[in-house]
Amino acid sequence: MKEQDEALFPMPARSAEPLRAAVQRLDPAEAVRFEQEFHAAWETALLEDSTVPMKTFLYRWGVFVALHRIPSRSARLRELEREVGSAASLEEARIAGKEIEELLEVAAREAASA
């Protein structure tokens, strides 16, 4: 995977406010989903008396930000998703899927280190 352009901004800390601001900057439509999922995770955390729902929520959105804060990475992900959706064979879909997996692994490492 080549990243031919720079990140739009540094990887934010894995907490609600920095991620909220990053998601809003990257994709205002996704910011709506962020808010919905934030409230659902918060409610579940309270009901279950557990931090796991919030940690899972923050990790997931950290991966989203890591994927999309670098324009070439975000564009490549969209291209690969189209390739999987229009693949003429299972092998074509697997090849594109493998590259998606690699993108997700990189983003997951970035999110985990934030």
Side-chain angles (χ1 to χ4, degrees):
M1 173 188 60
K2 291 183 183 177
E3 291 179 5
Q4 299 174 357
D5 52 358
E6 305 246 344
L8 298 172
F9 48 82
M11 187 64 199
R14 196 172 6 153
S15 60
E17 287 307 313
L19 289 174
R20 177 180 283 117
V23 171
Q24 179 65 41
R25 181 172 175 189
L26 291 168
D27 188 338
E30 286 296 312
V32 172
R33 193 166 60 138
F34 177 97
E35 291 303 325
Q36 292 168 339
E37 290 182 14
F38 173 83
H39 293 292
W42 184 258
E43 185 175 306
T44 302
L46 290 173
L47 289 172
E48 295 177 0
D49 193 27
S50 172
T51 60
V52 172
M54 286 306 296
K55 286 181 179 180
T56 301
F57 166 83
L58 293 171
Y59 176 77
R60 183 189 120 36
W61 283 97
V63 171
F64 174 89
V65 169
L67 277 170
H68 296 287
R69 72 190 185 97
I70 299 174
S72 62
R73 183 188 296 170
S74 183
R76 183 64 181 147
L77 176 62
R78 286 189 302 274
E79 181 181 322
L80 290 166
E81 289 171 336
R82 283 190 297 275
E83 287 179 20
V84 169
S86 64
S89 69
L90 183 57
E91 185 58 25
E92 286 180 16
R94 283 185 179 148
I95 291 168
K98 178 66 176 157
E99 192 173 341
I100 290 172
E101 178 184 2
E102 292 167 3
L103 288 173
L104 287 170
E105 287 173 358
V106 169
R109 282 193 301 275
E110 288 178 16
S113 67

